[in-house]
Structure formats: C-alpha cells, structure tokens
Amino acid sequence: MSDQEYVAYGLPLIEDDDIAGVLDSFRSGWLTRGPKTLEFEEAFAAYVGAGHAVAVNSCTSGLHLTLAGLGLGTGDEVITTPLTFVATVNTIIHTGARPVLVDIDPYTMNIDEKKIEQAVTSRTKALVPVHIAGYPCDMDSIMGLAGRHGLKVVEDAAHAVYTQYKGNMIGGIGDATVFSFYATKNLVTGEGGMITTNDEALAENLRLFSSHGLSHGAWNRYTSQGSWFYEVLAPGYKYNMTDIQAALGLSQLKKLDRMQKRREDIARHYNEAFADCPSIELPADSPDVRHAWHLYIIKLNMTEASVDRNTFIEKLKEKGVGSSVHFIPVHYHPYHREYFAGARYPVAEEVFERIVSLPLYPKMSDRDVDRVIQAVREILR
Ligand SMILES: *Cc1c(COP(=O)(O)O)cnc(C)c1O
C-alpha cells in the first residue's frame, strides 16, 4: 500500500503561519523562555478563562510540577484512574505520594465519580481526574467531593483543550489544570504543556520551580534592562517551555477553533455512519458538554461483532487505515502490576478489550474519512 493511500492514525496540522512563527523566533535570536512564551501564557489563560498560565516542556512535567507544588509527598494518597496514559500515575509516584486508582464509568470511560468517595482515606490529599478523549469528567461531583474532604483537584487535560463542562472551559475549574501540546494532541508545540490556575501564589511558585528556583528568569537577566544577579530560592526543576515551542503554540492557538470545527465535523460524520451498526458503541457525548474530540474511541459490542479487537485493528491496517488503543490500563504494565500488587479494575479491564481509536485530525480529507468508514463497515459486516 502506498503512503498516499494509507490513512495515518494521526498527523499534526502545520501551516505556513506556524512555520513563519517559528522562523521569527529563530531570527529574533531569543530561543528559550522569553517574550513569545509570556505571550502564549497570556493568550492561553485568556482562551480557557483562567487567571494564570505557566508554560512547561510537557504535560508530564506540568503534572509533576503541580503535584509537587501543592506539597504532595510521602505518606499522601492521590486518587486517579486506571484508564489513562501512564504519565498521570507516574508523576504521582515521582512526588513520593501513592496513586490510588478508582475504576471507570463504562460509558464515558472517565473515573467513576460515584466510586471515588469510598476510596478516600485520611491520607488522601488530591484528585487527578483525566478527561478521556476530550469528554469532561463530572466536575460538579468531583469539586463537591473535593470540597467536602479538603482535597486539591489537578485535572489532566491532555485531551481537553477546547472542552467545556456545562458551559465552562476546562482550565478554570480545578485548583490547577494541565494541558499537553505533544505532537499528536489537538494543539501542538512538538513537546510542551501548560498549567492553568486561578491561584496567583501557586502560579508564581510553579514558575519559580519550573526554572531551577531562580529568583529571576533568563528574560530578566540577559536583556538590556536585566541584571546579572539571581538567587536560588528553592531546589527547582528544569521544566520551562522555549520560545520556539511558544511560537508554534501561538499560531496553533489562533487556528484552534477552526481545527476543532473540523474535528467536530469528522466526529459527526462517523457518528452518523456508525449509528445503525450493532457491533459498534459510539463514543460518549452529551448536550451538557462541548467535546474536544481529541480521540474518537469506539467500543466493539462483542456479542454482535464478528471479530475481536486485535483482529479488527489488523484488518483495518490491511485496508490501509491506522488506528490505536487508548489506553492499556495502567495496572497492566509490568512495573505497575507489581506496584499495585495485583489490584483489579474490572470495568477498565472489560472496556480495554473492546476499544479502538479511529483516525481523527483536522488534516484528514473527506476521502480519508470515507475510507475509514468503509473499512470499518466492511470488517464488521
Ligand atoms: C499525552 C498525555 C499525557 C502526557 O503528555 P506529554 O505532553 O507527552 O507529557 C498525559 N496524560 C494523558 C492522558 C495523555 O494523553
């Protein structure tokens, strides 16, 4: 099969304005955190309606920075979901705290809000809900529960730039929200992430810790108004974003709504095409939310489907369609199997056997979309 015929699983949309922005940053001679990063932070905070934004070099470092910045450490417990990318759980482990997994809701595939309360102990300090595929968790019940037990809420919004929950943008709801701009995400900077919060002191602290704990960032030292002097106020990390990445972030943010409209079109097209297919359960959606459609995850209905999930993926590939699985449950990985000592999460395990992520990105042509639909229907006929 030629590359032209193959419908790739995911591709970023990089256009002339993105390239021009990055070149401009090269020409300016300012490569690391500087004016473009500050501009991107402001623009992003405004976009999600949060008071503050701190740009970092990945969502993973942003999660670690935020959890550490909120004071989590040895002896603490943090509740999250088994159906996520391992970074959500690993960054909790990095702080010294213990991740506690709570099984998922079979429809939304987000953490099952009804099961969180029974996992709360006197050691629980924070909740890390993950908005899987860009469909938001039930934030009313999560914030209510956090309030009753005095817990911090750090949202893993790697999939949820553009997501709204009951009319509110994800990014201004929890104590802090962390986004990913990894190459496959809805807004890309290659590698990169953003922490948003309404807590000014937390934002200042995160900024400090993102760059060695220096009292003055490079932008305040190397410019004509700057001074050579700095002090180290804390043993910080090296997690800051660069201006090269921020240049890409700025141009991507300008076109985000357009890219999202295309994602919505494709998702609607898939929904219509698969509505009459008994082998397929469509992705969660609801009039209460605005879905970011980072992923289009179908669940095979195993009593109806003629093939199992792995065969389905193989056959898609034979027909020139890339796909993926989000996610292998965290406790299935060799390290985490041992860490969680054989714990079981039956809903996540059952759902995992049936999920497939179909291609969904703005760069897909109508023809690509039709080819995916045709391939899926042929395999499941
Ligand atoms: C991609 C992803 C991350 C990690 O993002 P990076 O920017 O690559 O560090 C974290 N959580 C989830 C749910 C993700 O999908």
Side-chain angles (χ1 to χ4, degrees):
M1 180 112 10
S2 78
D3 275 358
Q4 260 181 338
E5 284 177 83
Y6 190 73
V7 183
Y9 168 66
L11 289 171
L13 185 69
I14 302 293
E15 298 173 318
D16 288 348
D17 59 331
D18 300 296
I19 294 166
V22 172
L23 286 181
D24 184 58
S25 140
F26 283 134
R27 290 198 184 97
S28 79
W30 194 269
L31 301 184
T32 186
R33 180 181 168 84
K36 285 186 193 292
T37 310
L38 303 185
E39 190 186 337
F40 184 36
E41 286 178 342
E42 271 186 28
F44 194 84
Y47 184 79
V48 302
H52 310 273
V54 179
V56 285
N57 58 12
S58 73
C59 176
T60 303
S61 52
L63 285 167
H64 178 221
L65 187 64
T66 306
L67 294 167
L70 288 170
L72 292 157
T74 309
D76 297 334
E77 291 176 359
V78 178
I79 293 175
T80 190
T81 166
L83 202 80
T84 184
F85 184 57
V86 285
T88 320
V89 169
N90 290 350
T91 50
I92 297 169
I93 296 174
H94 293 160
T95 66
R98 197 168 75 84
V100 172
L101 306 183
V102 167
D103 210 350
I104 61 167
D105 176 282
Y107 177 61
T108 67
M109 297 194 287
N110 287 328
I111 191 167
D112 188 339
E113 297 84 2
K114 298 183 296 300
K115 292 183 182 151
I116 297 176
E117 193 125 34
Q118 65 208 51
V120 173
T121 72
S122 58
R123 291 178 297 279
T124 310
K125 295 286 156 56
L127 307 176
V128 182
V130 183
H131 309 296
I132 285 292
Y135 184 91
C137 296
D138 180 353
M139 292 310 293
D140 279 350
S141 78
I142 286 176
M143 296 309 290
L145 195 136
R148 285 199 298 286
H149 294 278
L151 311 176
K152 298 290 183 188
V153 175
V154 178
E155 294 163 66
D156 180 335
H159 302 176
V161 64
Y162 190 77
T163 298
Q164 287 181 355
Y165 171 77
K166 296 188 178 171
N168 298 306
M169 289 292 284
I170 293 298
I173 301 176
D175 293 280
T177 306
V178 190
F179 296 87
S180 173
F181 308 135
Y182 181 68
T184 58
K185 300 283 163 49
N186 289 29
L187 184 160
V188 302
T189 64
E191 300 278 0
M194 190 74 82
I195 308 161
T196 61
T197 179
N198 291 318
D199 180 339
E200 186 174 359
L202 178 65
E204 275 313 305
N205 211 21
L206 297 180
R207 207 163 275 135
L208 182 77
F209 270 86
S210 74
S211 186
H212 307 293
L214 298 192
S215 57
H216 296 83
W219 184 238
N220 296 318
R221 283 184 283 125
Y222 298 133
T223 58
S224 57
Q225 299 86 16
S227 153
W228 60 270
F229 185 75
Y230 64 85
E231 288 178 296
V232 174
L233 307 178
Y237 307 102
K238 187 64 168 83
Y239 282 170
N240 61 278
M241 181 178 276
T242 69
D243 261 25
I244 305 167
Q245 294 163 307
L248 196 46
L250 278 166
S251 54
Q252 289 269 304
L253 188 58
K254 287 198 186 98
K255 70 179 82 184
L256 182 59
D257 285 353
R258 166 164 63 92
M259 294 195 290
Q260 287 297 140
K261 290 286 170 265
R262 180 67 184 148
R263 282 182 185 272
E264 286 169 348
D265 283 347
I266 297 169
R268 198 177 311 118
H269 212 87
Y270 280 157
N271 282 343
E272 285 163 12
F274 303 140
D276 64 346
C277 188
S279 317
I280 294 178
E281 292 173 23
L282 297 180
D285 203 0
S286 151
D288 272 354
V289 317
R290 186 172 78 173
H291 202 312
W293 293 112
H294 170 54
L295 302 171
Y296 190 90
I297 306 179
I298 58 169
K299 300 187 196 95
L300 297 180
N301 179 348
M302 298 323 286
T303 55
E304 296 285 340
S306 47
V307 290
D308 65 21
R309 192 270 314 278
N310 293 356
T311 311
F312 180 73
I313 287 176
E314 276 311 303
K315 287 187 183 273
L316 274 178
K317 200 169 167 198
E318 281 165 24
K319 290 181 181 292
V321 173
S323 62
S324 191
V325 175
H326 297 88
F327 289 95
I328 301 167
V330 170
H331 64 292
Y332 276 10
H333 294 291
Y335 174 80
H336 303 86
R337 201 184 310 142
E338 202 165 304
Y339 187 95
F340 292 105
R344 307 299 302 266
Y345 306 94
V347 183
E349 291 170 13
E350 195 271 340
V351 161
F352 166 64
E353 300 295 332
R354 310 198 283 124
I355 47 178
V356 184
S357 304
L358 298 179
L360 173 60
Y361 46 97
K363 212 178 169 174
M364 285 181 87
S365 66
D366 290 344
R367 188 159 173 272
D368 291 337
V369 176
D370 288 338
R371 291 201 41 212
V372 174
I373 291 169
Q374 199 186 343
V376 168
R377 295 187 66 103
E378 276 171 19
I379 297 166
L380 293 173
R381 184 154 54 214

